[in-house]
Amino acid sequence: MIKVLFADLDDSLFQSREKCPEGVALQPAAFLKDGAAISYTTPSQRDFLELALTSMTVVPTTARNLNAFRRVDIPFCSYAVLDYGGVILHPDGSADTGWQQEMQAAMALSYAGLQRVMDVMNTYATSCGFGATARIIEDFGTPFYVVMKDPDKRSDRLAQIEQQAVATWIATEGSDFYIHRNGNNLAVLPKALNKAHAVQRVSQWLRAQHGEITTFGLGDSRSDARFMAACDYAIVPTGSQLSSSTLGAL
Ligand SMILES: [Mg+2]
């Protein structure tokens, strides 16, 4: 039976330098558009990756868009789930057109909501004097979700915007949307956009090709929990948001 690892990338397989422990040998794993290294692996992450890439079919399952995914220097060779599940790439790098059409139809219904919550977030941030701005993230010509980052990486400001502006909006007109917040990242996503949906589709394809498969889910964020829970096994990096709200809480 083939073993399939659906793997979140950022803060699961690598992270920015300030999140890396001191005194360990780091290697760059992801780069900015200008070629500068932005994310690094630790020795234990490289050990884990070596194990995964030699014994499993690894399916990156990430919020990254195509451009950002191409700046990850890890030799993946199977399917890839991008944009929180909005895009599925085949092993040859081409986007699945059937999935693309389904997602375009779903996202067209969400676009007015994305614009509205972006306005709500920007209006609130401006009224507080925060420098953060929300923007809609598009890929393959499709708008998928809204993201806001604080220029000073003040996660407490994002928490305030989430609680005072976004949560109220979701409780009233935004019931078809949900929040992902982790570190300096506040995102609002349509419920139709979820890594779990794309993981389910890729699992169906892999079962059709290989028969029964054993699935593993790796992720660091609460928003990864749903696709991980659909796998046979869940792998959670120690010290992550998901670890502190599950294993750490016990
Ligand atoms: Mg992550």
Side-chain angles (χ1 to χ4, degrees), residues 18-89:
E18 63 261 30
K19 292 183 187 167
C20 291
E22 290 294 319
V24 299
L26 302 178
Q27 283 182 9
F31 300 84
L32 293 171
K33 284 178 183 159
D34 67 5
I38 180 72
S39 297
Y40 299 83
T41 52
T42 64
S44 64
Q45 284 172 324
R46 293 193 291 278
D47 263 356
F48 177 80
L49 255 176
E50 188 195 345
L51 173 73
L53 290 170
T54 53
S55 57
M56 295 166 153
T57 298
V58 181
V59 179
T61 304
T62 178
R64 284 178 176 252
N65 64 17
L66 180 66
N67 187 288
F69 176 64
R70 287 198 171 140
R71 288 184 270 110
V72 175
D73 185 21
I74 296 174
F76 298 117
C77 53
S78 182
Y79 296 100
V81 171
L82 310 183
D83 299 292
Y84 284 109
V87 169
I88 303 175
L89 300 184

Side-chain angles (χ1 to χ4, degrees), residues 184-200:
N184 189 30
N185 198 344
L186 171 61
V188 183
L189 297 83
K191 284 182 179 168
L193 183 67
N194 196 303
K195 289 180 180 179
H197 301 154
V199 164
Q200 186 183 26

Side-chain angles (χ1 to χ4, degrees), residues 83-245:
D83 299 292
Y84 284 109
V87 169
I88 303 175
L89 300 184
H90 286 271
D92 68 2
S94 64
D96 185 75
T97 49
W99 186 255
Q100 212 168 351
Q101 284 163 9
E102 286 176 47
M103 291 307 299
Q104 275 169 353
M107 293 302 107
L109 299 174
S110 305
Y111 188 56
L114 291 182
Q115 287 180 307
R116 179 76 189 118
V117 74
M118 180 175 70
D119 285 346
V120 166
M121 292 162 83
N122 285 333
T123 302
Y124 183 83
T126 305
S127 75
C128 296
F130 298 164
T133 39
R135 59 200 173 97
I136 293 177
I137 300 297
E138 299 187 9
D139 206 11
F140 292 85
T142 307
F144 284 116
Y145 63 96
V146 170
V147 72
M148 179 176 248
K149 291 176 188 286
D150 185 83
D152 306 316
K153 299 195 175 180
R154 288 271 304 269
S155 58
D156 58 313
R157 288 178 179 163
L158 295 182
Q160 184 181 334
I161 295 164
E162 177 195 345
Q163 286 149 20
Q164 301 298 321
V166 183
T168 312
W169 180 78
I170 285 182
T172 51
E173 52 186 293
S175 58
D176 290 333
F177 294 80
Y178 68 101
I179 299 169
H180 160 86
R181 183 170 64 81
N182 192 355
N184 189 30
N185 198 344
L186 171 61
V188 183
L189 297 83
K191 284 182 179 168
L193 183 67
N194 196 303
K195 289 180 180 179
H197 301 154
V199 164
Q200 186 183 26
R201 183 62 56 93
V202 173
S203 298
Q204 284 168 359
W205 292 339
L206 289 170
R207 284 198 180 92
Q209 293 160 22
H210 302 281
E212 266 317 294
I213 60 176
T214 302
T215 53
F216 300 76
L218 165 70
D220 71 290
S221 292
R222 281 181 217 167
S223 58
D224 294 316
R226 193 161 152 203
F227 89 78
M228 294 165 68
C231 293
D232 294 308
Y233 294 90
I235 304 170
V236 182
T238 309
S240 63
Q241 181 189 51
L242 197 50
S243 165
S244 26
S245 58

